[in-house]
Amino acid sequence: MSFIRKPNIAYKGQRTNALGLSMRDYEGGMSTLCAGCGHDSITSALVQAFFELDIEPHRVAKLSGIGCSSKTPAYFLSTAHGINTVHGRMPAVATGANAAARDLYYIGVSGDGDSLSIGLGQFAHAMRRNLHMLYLIENNGVYGLTKGQFSASADLGTKAKKGEVNEQPPIDPVKAALAFGGSFVARAFSGDKDQLLPLLKAGLKHKGFAMIDVLSPCVTFNDHEDSTKSYAHTRQFYHPAVHTDFIPPAEAITINYAEGDVVTVELHDGSKLVLCKVQPSYDPHDRAAALSYLEKSEAKGEIVTGLLYIDENRSTMHAVNNSAVKPLREIPYEDLNPGAAKLVELQSRYR
Amino acid sequence: MSDETQSRVNDFVIKLANVNGTGSASANSLLMKSIFRMGIPVMGKNYFPSNIQGLPTWYEVRVTRDGHTARSGNVDLMVAINAQTYTQDLAEVSAGGYLLYDSTWQRSRELKRDDVTVIGVPLAGLCNEKFQGARARILMKNVCYVGVLAALLDIDLDVIRTLLEETFASKVELVKSNLEAIELGYDYAREHFDCPLPFHVEPMDKTAGHVMIDGNTAAALGCVYAGATVGAWYPITPSTSLMDAFKVFCHRFRVDPDTGENNFCIIQAEDELAAIGMVMGAGWNGARAFTPTSGPGISLMNEFIGFGYFAEIPAVLFDVQRVGPSTGMPTRTQQCDLMSCAYASHGDTRHVLLFPADPAECFESAVTAFDLAERLQTPVFVMSDLDIGMNDWMVPELTWDDGYQPDRGKVLNKEELEQAETFYRYLDVDGDGICYRSYPGVHPKGAYFLRGSGHNDKGQYTEDAGEYRDLVDRLRRKWNTAKELVPGPVISGSSNRLGVISMGSCDGAVREAIAQFERKGVSLDYMRLRAFPFSETVRRFIDDHEQLYVVEQNRDAQLRTLLINELEPDVAKLVSMLHYSGLPINCRFIIEAIEASLDKGVAA
Ligand SMILES: Cc1ncc(C[n+]2csc(CCOP(=O)(O)OP(=O)(O)O)c2C)c(N)n1
Ligand code: SF4
Ligand SMILES: [Mg+2]
């Protein structure tokens, strides 16, 4: 995490967004991750996504657990609050923060160890509650920060740097998310920004729990030959099932898509997702079909990516709880306290 | 009436031995409430099993004209309804006492005591004749013994009738059948026995201005009045009823009249790790948030408690203590989590604890806890226990000062952040160890990155030796500030020689024991601790005394250990009096323990 601040130098021709902010305003501290680490590419895509969505940086709350991946919130949006919680428990903190104030953008960044090993329970329950947040798993198949042990997402037969072979089946966060009630389930690759960027935007605008499993190679401990989470392996077996275009509310759809392969999804704020299916029969609203497609592709060794499932209308935690739209801390104390007279009245039942 | 008899009016103990799940709880509370309504102070304790149906359960009612709040240690009248525990129940009756049993069935001949008067009433027989259906017969058998007791003890039938009418309100049929059962027992007893017994009740006027309330309900009310908005929890006895009550009160008082929205959010978490994590998230985001739990939950919450301490996040935890270790005895009481809460989590940590002594103080402690948590920006524990939390106690009516304003602590708002040249989250501007914080989303200048890893006063990550030491030394400074912010001890007496130190639910039994010693000419001073850390006053009290009895309800003298660890007093003068059976401490235990110690002192 960073104690090295980047100098904020304005340069000529710098692009600004609707808020008059430049990309630099969306950056964070200098990364202390290994050069070439997949996590850093995701960070740069995030910076761009927030910038292009014209989101005020301080209206974002960044959360993470523990791990190399969990350090990344320090590397974007330096004027947003961040909280680096404990290993595997970020979903609970996000739930409480969200309960207290539902008017911020919540983004959680986790790792495969953080979400699928130690934190599998909280990850599952956050989806079950359909917590309103964007949740990224920067998935490298290992515990980077503790130096390369297999995580729960390590594939069968994959080899560790020191030669050990993984004999246990992986937990696929995408399949897990489909099973646990995730309302926005996607997979991407840190090496393909074109695909990742619209997914991040869509996830930020989705009302509910948007889970993106981002394959993000660990160059230090899991990028060798015989590793199934290396850049080379991922590139080779990478298989986009759905391509997503994100269209902000005010903009019209201008691209001409081939007839029949396109599904348009309108989000709650009016933005549109144009899902262009590589596989014509694929239906991103059909959970059972998504699961079966994943199983079949997996058998062929394909790594399926894209926005694989969306239910834009599932009730969120707040809808279920009928909780106030206003942040709870802003509700005047007078409205929270019933007052002395009510206390007297109430106690008649205890006499 | 002889003096002996007169001395027992409104001063005796009834114990009721029942089978769990047979509806005895409502009959027993009807009994207690009627005595309370007659203006006579009462104490009620429920000893229930960790079971839904079938295991033995007891209820103890102490009628106490002097208003004692603890058990006396005697049983004057045993209502032995449970055949399974009959032998044990008979053995427990004090000499000269009475035992009431269901004589529908013959009891074994060997079971006899010459010093106990046995009263047989064919409760089942009477009810089977009168009522239809198995369930009704079982329920009515309980109500029927309340009728018998009303005759034996001279309880006002009108009071019972009013209570039944209030309880069943619109269900006229139920009022009618319950009254029939009462009269069945009442008439039988009047016909067959000399009523009332030598000890019985006579109306008084000593319960005006009082209520019968349990600590969990009172604590939940405290959360409502303190302005708590987020509650996260995972069910565990004996804390569950706290969140149940909070929910009921919120639905009553916290639904916005204009929007219909809930001005609160209650989340039933997947476990205690998540519950405390949610509290941390909400506290970070500026809501007053809390979690009720018990020992096993505290064990699970440890990592986050340390996080809250180190990253400085306000949080309130209610630990309604039950018997440990491990699952222990979930439905029995103890004060066994003092150490595990005071120093919860790895690394150098210290946490603020509050020690309410009864439900009224649970109400107050809840409010104090939120103020302290936000003032000190740290987790604060309200150390209740099963006895306080789940039993109805007679306490002065709860009162509220409408002038109260919550202490939200040092928080910079939007305007202040706008004006500020710089904002550093962990800079000790005022020298009291407490820094300024900002809420997420308020202003870009307020942004900081909160972490449980090493950080400097600017909130930046560090592994620097000096910066780390500065941080933990400041937390120590904050701890010293806390010593004078927490509620101080309640001290009585000034003999300055012998004294008692105690806290929490021991208080009633201690005060009663001290009063009895006073009558015998032995003066004992008393310091009741209300919080951890200990203030200077606590140190002085210990310094000023030659011998101090530390009364607490656990095996390992945890309170004494805390005193020794924090204050480094002369350890020889702190003598432990430990009660840890799982039943609430009683006055007799304390008297006997202190007497033994005094005798030893004389002999030496
Ligand atoms: C309770 C606890 N146990 C163990 C650790 C040690 N630990 C730190 S990070 C980590 C694994 C992180 O793996 P992952 O989430 O995949 O992140 P990556 O470093 O691979 O990005 C472990 C085991 C810890 N911080 N806390
Ligand atoms: S160890 Fe792996 S995951 Fe961690 S920073 Fe280095 S490359 Fe990234
Ligand atoms: Mg990993």
Side-chain angles (χ1 to χ4, degrees):
Chain A
M1 288 153 270
S2 165
F3 47 93
I4 315 158
R5 284 217 186 275
K6 284 185 204 167
N8 196 350
I9 310 160
Y11 52 89
K12 264 229 300 272
Q14 203 172 28
R15 197 154 64 103
T16 56
N17 64 9
L19 300 171
L21 299 174
S22 73
M23 283 268 259
R24 273 296 163 90
D25 296 313
Y26 289 82
E27 290 178 351
M30 198 85 84
S31 171
T32 57
L33 302 181
C34 307
C37 174
H39 303 347
D40 279 338
S41 316
I42 300 169
T43 302
S44 91
L46 276 167
V47 167
Q48 195 176 339
F50 282 109
F51 168 79
E52 289 179 1
L53 286 175
D54 305 317
I55 291 172
E56 284 182 282
H58 78 280
R59 301 295 295 162
V60 178
K62 309 171 292 181
L63 303 103
S64 64
I66 296 291
C68 295
S69 37
S70 291
K71 291 182 179 195
T72 58
Y75 312 140
F76 61 91
L77 303 189
S78 56
T79 51
H81 271 68
I83 182 167
N84 196 188
T85 68
V86 297
H87 196 21
R89 319 290 174 203
M90 174 265 282
V93 177
T95 306
N98 211 312
R102 54 189 283 195
D103 64 339
L104 300 178
Y105 285 94
Y106 288 93
I107 171 164
V109 184
S110 181
D112 41 321
D114 201 59
S115 282
L116 305 176
S117 299
I118 192 168
L120 185 62
Q122 295 206 346
F123 172 59
H125 285 273
M127 285 188 281
R128 178 173 175 253
R129 291 188 184 96
N130 202 22
L131 189 64
H132 186 27
M133 74 181 297
L134 169 61
Y135 192 99
L136 303 183
I137 298 181
E138 300 187 336
N139 188 349
N140 53 18
V142 287
Y143 296 167
L145 196 59
T146 51
K147 300 193 184 284
Q149 303 82 358
F150 286 130
S151 80
S153 75
D155 298 298
L156 256 180
T158 190
K159 234 186 214 169
K161 203 171 178 185
K162 288 179 184 155
E164 189 191 343
V165 176
N166 174 46
E167 313 272 14
Q168 295 176 72
I171 295 174
D172 176 353
V174 166
K175 282 197 275 178
L178 288 169
F180 291 135
S183 57
F184 177 116
V185 182
R187 179 156 26 231
F189 171 39
S190 67
D192 183 355
K193 199 173 186 176
D194 288 346
Q195 187 193 41
L196 179 59
L197 188 60
L199 285 177
L200 291 175
K201 290 183 188 172
L204 281 166
K205 292 294 179 184
H206 170 68
K207 197 170 186 177
F209 195 91
M211 196 290 295
I212 311 180
D213 171 36
V214 192
L215 298 166
S216 176
C218 168
V219 289
T220 306
F221 298 110
N222 207 12
D223 198 31
H224 44 271
E225 216 176 314
D226 298 331
S227 157
T228 55
K229 291 278 193 291
S230 64
Y231 278 110
H233 183 96
T234 309
R235 284 216 173 88
Q236 188 181 345
F237 296 97
Y238 185 63
H239 185 85
V242 185
H243 175 82
T244 307
D245 278 330
F246 177 84
I247 318 285
E251 281 175 32
I253 300 172
T254 51
I255 309 166
N256 277 329
Y257 295 96
E259 195 84 31
D261 296 351
V262 168
V263 180
T264 309
V265 178
E266 185 160 332
L267 299 182
H268 282 257
D269 70 335
S271 20
K272 282 178 273 304
L273 303 182
V274 181
L275 306 178
C276 186
K277 300 170 297 181
V278 174
Q279 190 86 10
S281 63
Y282 196 84
D283 178 2
H285 279 115
D286 184 342
R287 185 152 70 157
L291 272 167
S292 122
Y293 182 73
L294 277 161
E295 291 287 348
K296 283 181 197 141
S297 307
E298 195 179 286
K300 288 186 271 177
E302 288 171 359
I303 304 166
V304 178
T305 60
L307 177 52
L308 301 166
Y309 176 73
I310 184 164
D311 178 355
E312 64 276 30
N313 295 318
R314 221 196 108 194
S315 287
T316 64
M317 180 180 85
H318 283 293
V320 170
N321 281 324
N322 185 33
S323 37
V325 170
K326 209 178 188 177
L328 295 175
R329 64 167 184 258
E330 284 172 20
I331 295 171
Y333 175 64
E334 294 65 45
D335 294 348
L336 297 176
N337 182 310
K342 279 277 191 312
L343 187 60
V344 174
E345 195 186 305
L346 179 79
Q347 286 178 90
S348 64
R349 80 164 85 156
Y350 304 115
R351 263 177 228 120
Chain B
M1 217 182 276
S2 72
D3 279 2
E4 169 67 12
T5 312
Q6 187 55 45
S7 73
R8 306 296 308 280
V9 168
N10 293 342
D11 185 17
F12 55 91
V13 175
I14 317 163
K15 191 165 177 180
L16 306 108
N18 303 99
V19 178
N20 200 35
T22 59
S24 57
S26 41
N28 297 340
S29 84
L30 174 68
L31 170 69
M32 181 167 74
K33 208 83 183 257
S34 352
I35 299 171
F36 175 75
R37 285 276 178 100
M38 288 177 71
I40 309 155
V42 276
M43 171 223 79
K45 306 274 184 220
N46 190 9
Y47 313 127
F48 58 104
S50 181
N51 156 269
I52 303 300
Q53 206 169 58
L55 287 185
T57 176
W58 290 268
Y59 199 83
E60 190 173 326
V61 178
R62 181 177 182 190
V63 181
T64 160
R65 62 180 177 222
D66 297 326
H68 295 305
T69 57
R71 296 166 62 218
S72 68
N74 301 326
V75 176
D76 300 298
L77 169 58
M78 176 69 77
V79 181
I81 300 300
N82 188 356
Q84 210 185 327
T85 58
Y86 188 89
T87 315
Q88 169 189 349
D89 295 332
L90 176 67
E92 213 187 307
V93 183
S94 304
Y98 290 75
L99 177 139
L100 167 70
Y101 80 110
D102 186 348
S103 61
T104 311
W105 300 281
Q106 205 62 44
R107 81 202 151 94
S108 157
R109 274 182 196 287
E110 304 91 74
L111 298 175
K112 234 174 109 39
R113 265 181 64 184
D114 295 337
D115 57 348
V116 171
T117 311
V118 173
I119 300 171
V121 176
L123 295 164
L126 290 172
C127 290
N128 289 353
E129 219 168 278
K130 183 99 189 172
F131 300 101
Q132 296 307 312
R135 184 70 189 159
R137 283 172 173 167
I138 291 173
L139 291 174
M140 287 309 162
K141 199 175 83 171
N142 293 323
V143 182
C144 186
Y145 72 63
V146 176
V148 174
L149 293 172
L152 292 175
L153 302 172
D154 226 2
I155 300 171
D156 191 340
L157 282 186
D158 284 339
V159 171
I160 296 183
R161 183 174 304 117
T162 312
L163 272 168
L164 285 172
E165 282 164 2
E166 287 173 19
T167 312
F168 298 117
S170 56
K171 297 173 196 142
V172 189
E173 273 311 302
L174 275 178
V175 177
K176 202 173 138 258
S177 56
N178 273 271
L179 272 175
E180 276 171 12
I182 294 276
E183 276 159 16
L184 207 56
Y186 187 84
D187 294 343
Y188 185 94
R190 299 280 291 198
E191 225 171 274
H192 294 82
F193 312 109
D194 236 351
C195 292
L197 297 180
F199 53 84
H200 55 267
V201 299
E202 276 173 18
M204 291 178 89
D205 60 353
K206 295 221 334 214
T207 61
H210 287 71
V211 287
M212 299 278 324
I213 192 170
D214 66 78
N216 286 350
T217 304
L221 265 177
C223 293
V224 172
Y225 275 78
T229 50
V230 175
W233 67 301
Y234 187 77
I236 183 168
T237 305
S239 73
T240 300
S241 59
L242 200 162
M243 196 55 99
D244 288 345
F246 183 71
K247 201 177 222 168
V248 169
F249 294 135
C250 281
H251 281 289
R252 178 154 173 192
F253 297 121
R254 287 283 188 76
V255 179
D256 194 293
D258 300 327
T259 60
E261 291 171 351
N262 293 338
N263 286 336
F264 63 91
C265 190
I266 297 170
I267 312 166
Q268 185 180 321
E270 54 270 33
D271 54 34
E272 286 89 347
L273 281 79
I276 185 70
M278 291 169 189
V279 170
M280 291 292 159
W284 170 62
N285 222 345
R288 286 195 151 186
F290 70 98
T291 183
T293 188
S294 193
I298 295 288
S299 293
L300 283 183
M301 290 178 185
N302 262 261
E303 189 180 17
F304 260 127
I305 293 169
F307 175 74
Y309 171 82
F310 198 48
E312 300 179 73
I313 303 175
V316 172
L317 298 91
F318 292 88
D319 180 3
V320 189
Q321 298 166 90
R322 66 188 219 184
V323 171
S326 191
T327 302
M329 296 198 283
T331 59
R332 296 287 185 263
T333 196
Q334 231 173 34
Q335 297 172 316
C336 53
D337 299 342
L338 304 184
M339 294 291 290
S340 70
C341 289
Y343 306 116
S345 203
H346 55 278
D348 290 326
T349 59
R350 280 178 148 83
H351 309 290
V352 175
L353 316 180
L354 300 179
F355 304 128
D358 62 27
E361 288 193 6
C362 284
F363 177 70
E364 292 157 23
S365 297
V367 180
T368 309
F370 285 103
D371 281 345
L372 286 171
E374 291 198 306
R375 169 59 43 189
L376 293 163
Q377 302 175 8
T378 199
V380 171
F381 296 70
V382 180
M383 305 298 290
S384 178
D385 62 28
L386 182 140
D387 180 19
I388 301 176
M390 290 191 72
N391 285 315
D392 282 336
W393 290 50
M394 181 179 125
V395 291
E397 212 167 285
L398 309 179
T399 56
W400 184 252
D401 169 11
D402 278 330
Y404 166 86
Q405 278 298 319
D407 179 2
R408 307 302 312 262
K410 298 185 188 179
V411 182
L412 296 179
N413 63 26
K414 193 172 179 175
E415 290 70 39
E416 288 163 332
L417 286 166
E418 184 68 51
Q419 307 279 303
E421 196 112 318
T422 50
F423 164 71
Y424 295 124
R425 171 65 182 94
Y426 297 110
L427 199 61
D428 187 4
V429 180
D430 303 327
D432 56 2
I434 307 170
C435 310
Y436 287 80
R437 65 184 190 123
S438 61
Y439 299 143
V442 171
H443 194 283
K445 267 198 222 163
Y448 66 96
F449 201 79
L450 182 147
R451 40 167 72 84
S453 44
H455 46 276
N456 62 17
D457 57 10
K458 295 193 169 68
Q460 297 159 333
Y461 180 81
T462 188
E463 292 175 8
D464 179 82
E467 286 187 328
Y468 170 78
R469 254 199 333 262
D470 285 347
L471 168 60
V472 290
D473 288 345
R474 177 178 60 74
L475 290 174
R476 183 79 210 203
R477 216 154 51 238
K478 185 163 88 167
W479 181 249
N480 289 334
T481 301
K483 287 179 186 167
E484 302 305 326
L485 283 182
V486 301
V490 178
I491 293 176
S492 60
S494 53
S495 79
N496 282 352
R497 206 178 68 78
L498 286 181
V500 177
I501 301 178
S502 194
M503 43 97 220
S505 61
C506 296
D507 181 53
V510 171
R511 281 189 290 114
E512 189 177 347
I514 289 175
Q516 291 207 25
F517 276 109
E518 193 68 48
R519 278 199 287 280
K520 289 189 233 167
V522 180
S523 279
L524 290 164
D525 297 345
Y526 176 32
M527 173 167 70
R528 175 166 71 87
L529 299 167
R530 292 195 297 165
F532 178 73
F534 306 125
S535 64
E536 266 313 298
T537 318
V538 176
R539 182 193 300 280
R540 234 175 296 126
F541 183 89
I542 296 177
D543 288 348
D544 288 348
H545 286 79
E546 286 170 25
Q547 176 103 286
L548 289 161
Y549 301 110
V550 185
V551 179
E552 54 185 310
Q553 301 180 66
N554 56 68
R555 186 195 68 183
D556 289 349
Q558 298 190 25
L559 180 63
R560 181 174 180 272
T561 308
L562 279 182
L563 288 166
I564 291 171
N565 192 46
E566 298 288 321
L567 303 175
E568 298 177 21
D570 170 7
V571 298
K573 67 177 166 188
L574 298 181
V575 181
S576 267
M577 310 262 125
L578 304 170
H579 188 276
Y580 49 90
S581 64
L583 297 178
I585 191 167
N586 63 69
C587 164
R588 200 171 66 198
F589 165 82
I590 300 173
I591 291 173
E592 286 171 4
I594 293 182
E595 268 170 356
S597 166
L598 288 172
D599 287 350
K600 237 186 358 205
V602 170

